[in-house]
Amino acid sequence: MAAAKTTMTLRQRLRKAILFLRLVGHGLRVYKSMISRIVSAKVAALFESEPKQPIDPAEVKNIVIVGAAFAGLYSARLLSGSLPRDGRWRIVVIEPNSHFNFTWVFPRFSVVEGHEHKAFIPYKSDYFAMGPKGMVRWVGDRVTNVKKEVVVLRSGEEIPYEYLIVATGSTVADGLPSRANVETKEEAVELLQAMQERIKKASHVVVAGGGAAGVELATDAKDLYPDKSVTIVHSRQALMNRFSDGLQKGTAESMERLGVEVILGEKAISETQDGQFITLSSGRKIPCDCFVNCTGQKPASGIMANLSPQSIAPSGHIRVKPTLQIDDDSLPNIYICGDVADAHVRNPNSRIAGRQAEICADNVVLAVRGKKPKYQYAEMWGDGFIKLTLGLDRSITQFWDGTSELLFPSEETERDLMCKGTWMAMGAQPFEDTGVYCDK
Ligand SMILES: Cc1cc2nc3c(=O)[nH]c(=O)nc-3n(C[C@H](O)[C@H](O)[C@H](O)COP(=O)(O)OP(=O)(O)OC[C@H]3O[C@@H](n4cnc5c(N)ncnc54)[C@H](O)[C@@H]3O)c2cc1C
Ligand SMILES: *[C@@H]1O[C@H](CO)[C@@H](O)[C@H](O)[C@H]1NC(C)=O
Ligand SMILES: *[C@@H]1O[C@H](CO)[C@@H](O)[C@H](O)[C@H]1NC(C)=O
């Protein structure tokens, strides 16, 4: 028995070692691809001459990108570095928000006071510095419909496109803590402050949804306010059920350590009239004077519903081919990336959105140069990692290939998580916000 046990652990250890090596390889590949892109953009800038005279505007063709978050913004950046520099191609980015939503910190800043302004990063035109000046046009509006050759804006304006990249992501009807459903930074900051205030005043906080947002918010709330009762309600049999066993176990242990009550196999249905209880699917009522809904993210695919209704999956995602072209042979010039794409991703995240953005951008560049799109998206397990906070001062990072897992528990000293680095990666000075954005 003992021998069998040792071999098991040995085999497990070996698997982990292999996983670790693959992880290093994955990291190197990602790094190499980034460097080679930067180098080739610089080389192109040296050798491909920009036009001496401005091109007749009627001859300039648009590549329209709808949505400028992890997927859309990154595809715009890559395109700006690799499209022909002859002035015949323009990238039009359409995005209603004044600021980039840094969703990762929303659960934390829904609880902890004083950092909320850091969650909204001004869009800076320097971010596109890989391409010639003027190649990117920024349109501060929302697309309401897509037709075969134009997109229609809320303002009524129609913008023609030669190629279209749809990167509209996901939405949540209930807004925070998953999304801030307002268009200006001032309003979004007020929403976060109101949520902090609601939690601060409450005695019984109930969080619905045992995915990352719900777990992070519940552990932060209990850690900051140990005297309040905090309960998390989840319909499945384990919190973080879509992740590895080790991460589920680490999550459960943190709930216990902090004293968060966990109710599994139940859904939160509605708050009672008096605002004192919440009713669960079994009919049970639990005390609740502050309800936080962390469920119900939906892909924002509505703009494609007229042009290609058959491409919208029952889940609301837009069906795609491996090249990330929409799965509709009549529309080969439309590409889809990020949370809105039905690319069979286990746990959508920003890294995956970014990799899909690369595939779309690279295929559009091929098409523009008269070649067939050849790059294909396949999920790489290394991209599906997650760093989950479990209270104010600790986290677990999980890598998982479906069989073996690597867990990196760590202490967290930054209350505002990765805000500073993200501002800098976006070309913005942390945390200066002058209110001057992408040539809006
Ligand atoms: C609370 C929370 C925490 C998260 N934490 C992490 C994390 O720690 N790490 C991680 O990797 N991922 C995390 N994620 C997931 C990550 O945020 C998403 O995978 C990522 O945002 C997807 O990027 P996207 O560009 O596809 O879409 P989104 O981020 O959803 O952005 C879509 C963009 O499109 C715009 N848009 C939508 N409709 C239109 C329209 N009709 N016209 C014009 N523009 C439009 C929107 O305004 C928005 O800017 C988290 C998500 C949430 C909700
Ligand atoms: C944040 O994102 C959501 C969803 O994409 C959007 O509705 C909201 O306007 C954004 N907020 C800000 C302040 O940019
Ligand atoms: C939580 O939000 C989802 C999606 O918006 C919604 O369907 C559900 O009814 C909400 N739950 C409660 C209890 O309000």
Side-chain angles (χ1 to χ4, degrees):
M1 269 313 276
K5 208 169 160 205
T6 331
T7 11
M8 272 300 282
T9 43
L10 262 181
R11 185 180 297 159
Q12 276 171 352
R13 272 196 210 151
L14 192 64
R15 275 221 197 106
K16 278 189 198 294
I18 292 170
L19 196 62
F20 185 75
L21 286 178
R22 283 176 63 201
L23 181 60
V24 173
H26 179 77
L28 286 176
R29 251 197 321 273
V30 169
Y31 193 66
K32 187 177 142 235
S33 134
M34 202 173 70
I35 300 284
S36 79
R37 276 169 197 284
I38 294 172
V39 171
S40 46
K42 294 247 188 269
V43 170
L46 282 179
F47 292 103
E48 279 188 39
S49 54
E50 289 173 32
K52 300 277 174 300
Q53 288 125 12
I55 307 277
D56 174 3
E59 277 183 39
V60 178
K61 291 177 180 160
N62 289 334
I63 296 168
V64 169
I65 299 176
V66 190
F70 290 100
L73 195 62
Y74 192 47
S75 67
R77 175 155 205 251
L78 295 176
L79 278 171
S80 81
S82 45
L83 281 173
R85 304 168 82 89
D86 57 10
R88 287 175 200 283
W89 292 95
R90 177 172 49 209
I91 301 163
V92 182
V93 178
I94 306 173
E95 167 62 62
N97 298 343
S98 61
H99 291 69
F100 176 83
N101 277 223
F102 187 34
T103 47
W104 306 11
V105 295
F106 281 11
R108 165 68 49 93
F109 296 175
S110 295
V111 179
V112 173
E113 297 172 286
H115 303 284
E116 48 284 354
H117 57 287
K118 303 175 188 171
F120 307 96
I121 308 177
Y123 283 117
K124 304 286 278 202
S125 27
D126 325 7
Y127 184 79
F128 303 105
M130 276 163 83
K133 217 169 155 2
M135 188 189 247
V136 181
R137 179 181 160 217
W138 190 270
V139 179
D141 204 341
R142 176 175 289 280
V143 171
T144 54
N145 191 20
V146 175
K147 296 187 187 169
K148 200 147 179 153
E149 281 160 358
V150 298
V151 297
V152 185
L153 305 186
R154 188 167 48 184
S155 64
E157 190 189 343
E158 295 195 341
I159 299 184
Y161 65 86
E162 201 69 19
Y163 295 94
L164 178 69
I165 298 181
V166 177
T168 45
S170 38
T171 55
V172 179
D174 276 22
L176 285 179
S178 301
R179 301 281 169 165
N181 288 340
V182 286
E183 283 176 14
T184 68
K185 180 163 183 166
E186 291 69 30
E187 294 167 287
V189 163
E190 277 169 24
L191 278 183
L192 281 168
Q193 288 168 343
M195 174 77 95
Q196 296 159 6
E197 200 53 31
R198 217 153 61 77
I199 294 175
K200 196 178 184 175
K201 286 203 181 121
S203 315
H204 301 282
V205 180
V206 175
V207 178
V215 164
E216 295 193 331
L217 189 138
T219 47
D220 276 357
K222 185 66 179 172
D223 204 358
L224 189 63
Y225 303 114
D227 295 336
K228 297 187 195 303
S229 94
V230 177
T231 306
I232 185 165
V233 181
H234 189 45
S235 56
R236 304 306 183 90
Q237 288 310 319
L239 299 174
M240 300 298 290
N241 55 283
R242 290 191 305 181
F243 296 85
S244 71
D245 288 347
L247 190 69
Q248 291 178 22
K249 194 158 155 264
T251 305
E253 280 166 8
S254 289
M255 296 295 165
E256 209 168 316
R257 167 177 63 87
L258 293 162
V260 176
E261 196 190 331
V262 180
I263 299 179
L264 297 170
E266 289 247 40
K267 282 186 178 174
I269 300 297
S270 60
E271 293 170 86
T272 54
Q273 288 279 328
D274 59 6
Q276 296 299 311
F277 294 91
I278 188 131
T279 311
L280 306 184
S281 39
S282 63
R284 179 177 164 198
K285 285 188 171 53
I286 54 172
C288 169
D289 54 6
C290 175
F291 175 64
V292 185
N293 193 349
C294 300
T295 68
Q297 287 212 58
K298 290 239 157 58
S301 55
I303 59 169
M304 293 308 298
N306 286 329
L307 184 60
S308 188
Q310 71 279 16
S311 306
I312 315 267
S315 62
H317 293 94
I318 304 173
R319 292 199 173 100
V320 291
K321 300 181 176 185
T323 52
L324 298 186
Q325 284 163 297
I326 192 169
D327 191 11
D328 180 335
D329 288 337
S330 69
L331 304 168
N333 57 338
I334 299 185
Y335 288 80
I336 317 289
C337 55
D339 277 10
V340 74
D342 189 9
H344 311 290
V345 168
R346 198 162 33 188
N347 289 296
N349 69 22
S350 315
R351 170 87 202 117
I352 293 171
R355 270 235 304 122
Q356 294 180 356
E358 283 175 20
I359 304 285
C360 288
D362 292 348
N363 280 335
V364 168
V365 170
L366 284 179
V368 158
R369 296 187 189 270
K371 297 184 186 138
K372 266 181 82 139
K374 68 169 186 194
Y375 299 104
Q376 302 201 345
Y377 177 76
E379 191 178 2
M380 279 157 84
W381 66 273
D383 288 337
F385 72 90
I386 183 171
K387 179 172 183 176
L388 182 74
T389 63
L390 291 162
L392 298 173
D393 61 0
R394 60 189 82 184
S395 71
I396 298 181
T397 302
Q398 172 229 248
F399 289 88
W400 182 43
D401 66 359
T403 342
S404 302
E405 60 180 353
L406 287 174
L407 299 177
F408 300 96
S410 110
E411 279 183 26
E412 296 296 322
T413 49
E414 284 179 42
R415 273 293 135 94
D416 63 358
L417 304 168
M418 285 156 283
C419 279
K420 195 170 165 206
T422 309
W423 277 62
M424 283 158 64
M426 300 269 305
Q429 184 67 31
F431 297 99
E432 268 172 38
D433 194 345
T434 57
V436 181
Y437 320 117
C438 271
D439 332 310
K440 253 185 158 175

